[in-house]
Amino acid sequence: MSDGIRPTLQELIALRASAQRRPPARRGRHSVTGPSASSLRGRGMEYAESREYVAGDDVRHIDWRLTARSGRTHTKLFQAERGGRSVLVADAAAGRYFGERVRLRSVQAAGAGAVDVGSAQQSGDRSAALGGGEAAIPPASGLRGAMRVLDALVRWYTQPPADHAPLEEALEHAQRLLRPGAQLVVLADAGSAARVPVLRWTALARHHQASLVLL
């Protein structure tokens, strides 16, 4: 078990696994539920292939290069992005390193983050994270994505970073990783959360499934 002072990767892996054993949470109408993407090909975000143009295709998606090479009009098809996206924001405020009776707030925060990672993996979401004064952990799915975030949580919550951005700035950076309907989980010190303008929280909640975990 942890000494309550620093999180361990083994504990976070166990917490992630416990979250995966729970029934998956119902998602809002803007997000995708379940581990599998539809096999249908439509006008999503990721390029899938090109085929010959047929009446009714959107002319904005004509593949001009293939059309020029083949002499026949082709249109691009796009694969809908697999799963949703879950972005974890870890507040870097020094207040998280104060202790409670059992453990530091930092250890509690890392555990909460691990549970979120497990829930995201169970739902088939791509996990991303930012905090700790480092570059953002880019979205990735499956075990690979989960482990990258857990490794980052151990680093971020082992000791305070020498330099860190305020929570509001971190949320601004998080918006670059978010997509409409994405899951946003913010692990924050109450003081840091209070300094974020209400309009920022309102805007995040309007377009995303935003959750604030106060430590």
Side-chain angles (χ1 to χ4, degrees), residues 86-124:
S86 179
V87 178
L88 183 69
V89 176
D91 179 24
R96 66 187 182 177
Y97 294 96
F98 286 100
E100 307 296 345
R101 287 189 175 185
V102 179
R103 62 184 63 87
L104 294 182
R105 295 177 188 171
S106 54
V107 176
Q108 190 77 0
V115 170
D116 173 68
V117 168
S119 298
Q121 188 179 357
Q122 184 184 39
S123 299

Side-chain angles (χ1 to χ4, degrees), residues 8-21 114-115 150:
T8 67
L9 183 59
Q10 290 75 17
E11 282 187 314
L12 298 190
I13 290 173
L15 287 168
R16 163 190 152 271
S18 68
Q20 289 184 299
R21 289 193 291 270
V115 170
L150 295 184

Side-chain angles (χ1 to χ4, degrees), residues 165-181:
L167 180 58
E168 184 180 3
E169 186 175 331
L171 292 175
E172 184 177 347
H173 292 166
Q175 287 187 297
R176 302 172 189 171
L177 299 174
L178 291 166
R179 297 291 183 270

Side-chain angles (χ1 to χ4, degrees), residues 40-54 57-58 61-63 74-80:
L40 298 177
R41 287 182 175 177
R43 306 298 186 184
M45 295 298 296
E46 298 178 351
Y47 173 75
E49 64 180 7
S50 294
R51 61 159 169 78
E52 287 197 37
Y53 178 88
V54 296
D57 284 344
D58 193 333
H61 297 291
I62 290 178
D63 188 335
H74 281 72
T75 185
K76 294 179 179 179
L77 296 180
F78 296 86
Q79 174 70 53

